[in-house]
Amino acid sequence: MTERAPWKDRQALDTFLQSFTESEPGWLKNGQAWLHPVRRAAIARLAEIGFPTAHDEDWRFTNLGPIVTTAFVPAGDGAAADARALARFAFAENENPRLVFVNGRFALGLSTLTPLPAGVRAGSLAQVLTGDRAALEAHLTRHEDIQQEAFSALNTAFLTDGAFVSVPRGAVVEKPIHVLYVTVPGAAPVATHPRTLIVTGEDSQAAVVEDYVTLGEGVHLTNAVTELAVGEGSVVGHYLIQRESKQAFHISTLCGRQGRSSSVTSHTVLLGAALTRRNIHPVLAGEGGECLINGLFMANERQHMDNYMKVEHASPHCQSRQVYKGILDGQSHGVFHGRIIVHKDAQKTDAKQTNMNLLLSEEAQIDTKPQLEIYADDVKCTHGATVGQIDEEAIFYLRSRGLGEASARALLLYAFAGDMLQRMKVEPVRRHLEELVAQWVPQGELLEGVR
């Protein structure tokens, strides 16, 4: 990793270090003392390496100045959150299990705890940290990289609550588990550090939706980490929806390890926040594993959305696909950096990486960097990227069939984005996202009756 040049302004880092010191006494008394050595190691590492700068190759397209120069304080209790305020974020008429976290804390009264198959657990990580250490030790903090990733170290240092989903061997969870992370900002900039741990046993099936939203006005940082431990033959769908306010900064990381013959599908849809960084790092550790990383990012005004993927093929006969699409308008800036690493023993790897982008204005920009690192000699790996504008011939064709120009443009944008949504197998989630995308598309109201 490139040596980091220190930030001249350490306001955020110093504030986090102070907050950690102030929080320590409470953590040592809440029944979670067994985890505290890990927290201390994480904050020590963060103090040592600091936050990334443009000198870091993996961050060179993203200026973190707005984050590292802000003094974030821990978020309050979020009293403004109530069932009525959260109604618009629901899908499938609340028939699915829903875990609600307000400013990083589990809100039992706002959650919907519908019955789950025998042995399946879905609830507050804080409760398990206190009462069932054995359920967590094998996986919690085992799949992230706090040595090199500053924001993962920051999340681990402040690890107190989040979602815990555990699916035992052979269990099938038919309805998606909706994890809604709500931030209610305060007068001062606030930070939350949600942690999600998903563990699936052999030959199990489940889908989890992480949904990040904002209620009210104010600057805030969401720094989330999700660890995914996938058993042999397990089938897992993971969805992340980011639709926070444009006063938000959002950093999220999905990291995990797949067992033999397992299948993981990761879907990401980025719509909100002023600055977003989405990290995805799966390790295909078992022979015959499959992984699809599917993403859509849509930005306007001065939004910045950075997508970073590192897919590691560590065993033979594995397959991975990365398919990402971006739509950028206004003065927005998008980033796609996808790395596929094929280790020496990962023979017969089949990996493909595709990034496609539409620029809707002359000031919008995209930096795209597909990358292959191959250390095996019997593999099939490809990558590619495209950047363009709406096809004027396609617009002419639609207009010749009776559509107005605005409707034609809206329909083409929706079709470009909709291709990604069609890969989502969970119908209630897909329908919900189709509505969100239609609302985002310029003059998307014209799509009624057309799409």
Side-chain angles (χ1 to χ4, degrees), residues 393-445:
E393 290 187 4
I395 292 175
F396 177 80
Y397 175 82
L398 291 174
R399 294 191 66 185
S400 70
R401 295 303 186 269
L403 287 182
E405 182 175 356
S407 296
R409 288 183 180 276
L411 184 60
L412 287 173
L413 286 177
Y414 181 82
F416 180 82
D419 173 61
M420 308 300 291
L421 303 180
Q422 290 304 311
R423 296 187 176 90
M424 300 177 180
K425 303 301 182 184
V426 180
E427 185 177 354
V429 180
R430 186 179 66 249
R431 290 202 308 266
H432 188 71
L433 288 171
E434 286 173 347
E435 291 301 321
L436 292 179
V437 169
Q439 293 169 18
W440 186 97
V441 168
Q443 297 182 300
E445 69 277 2

Side-chain angles (χ1 to χ4, degrees), residues 151-171:
F151 287 98
S152 291
L154 176 63
N155 179 281
T156 298
F158 287 89
L159 197 167
T160 53
D161 203 358
F164 175 56
V165 177
S166 176
V167 184
R169 178 178 181 177

Side-chain angles (χ1 to χ4, degrees), residues 211-420:
D211 197 352
Y212 293 86
V213 303
T214 307
L215 285 180
E217 298 294 322
V219 175
H220 68 93
L221 167 67
T222 299
N223 176 40
V225 170
T226 299
E227 292 181 283
L228 183 59
V230 183
E232 294 187 3
S234 183
V235 179
V236 178
H238 181 269
Y239 297 74
L240 180 134
I241 307 169
Q242 190 277 103
R243 42 177 163 163
E244 295 173 301
S245 76
K246 291 184 180 178
Q247 292 177 286
F249 303 111
H250 179 96
I251 310 289
S252 61
T253 299
L254 172 66
C255 49
R257 192 172 183 87
Q258 293 185 224
R260 182 186 181 95
S261 299
S262 63
S263 176
V264 171
T265 304
S266 165
H267 299 283
T268 297
V269 177
L270 305 179
L271 300 171
L275 187 156
T276 300
R277 165 75 174 212
R278 175 64 171 156
N279 303 304
I280 301 179
H281 181 194
V283 178
L284 288 90
E287 184 173 355
E290 296 181 354
C291 179
L292 168 64
I293 302 176
N294 183 48
L296 173 66
F297 55 103
M298 304 174 72
N300 56 27
E301 299 176 1
R302 292 181 176 272
Q303 285 180 285
H304 181 96
M305 294 182 175
D306 185 343
N307 302 274
Y308 176 77
M309 274 130 279
K310 182 169 69 173
V311 179
E312 290 195 61
H313 285 260
S315 292
H317 298 281
C318 291
Q319 181 184 90
S320 70
R321 295 289 185 269
Q322 298 175 49
V323 186
Y324 257 67
K325 286 188 174 183
I327 301 177
L328 303 166
D329 202 354
Q331 294 175 285
S332 63
H333 184 186
V335 179
F336 174 83
H337 184 180
R339 294 175 63 192
I340 297 174
I341 303 174
V342 182
H343 292 277
K344 181 178 178 181
D345 295 330
Q347 303 295 344
K348 302 295 183 181
T349 286
D350 182 1
K352 185 176 182 179
Q353 181 184 93
T354 304
N355 173 227
M356 292 172 280
N357 307 281
L358 282 180
L359 302 183
L360 305 185
S361 74
E362 293 183 358
E363 294 179 295
Q365 59 179 312
I366 180 76
D367 289 294
T368 181
K369 184 182 177 183
Q371 186 176 356
L372 300 175
E373 298 178 28
I374 302 173
Y375 303 99
D377 55 15
D378 187 5
V379 302
K380 183 169 64 175
C381 299
T382 61
H383 64 72
T386 61
V387 180
Q389 299 174 329
I390 295 179
D391 188 346
E392 293 298 330
E393 290 187 4
I395 292 175
F396 177 80
Y397 175 82
L398 291 174
R399 294 191 66 185
S400 70
R401 295 303 186 269
L403 287 182
E405 182 175 356
S407 296
R409 288 183 180 276
L411 184 60
L412 287 173
L413 286 177
Y414 181 82
F416 180 82
D419 173 61
M420 308 300 291

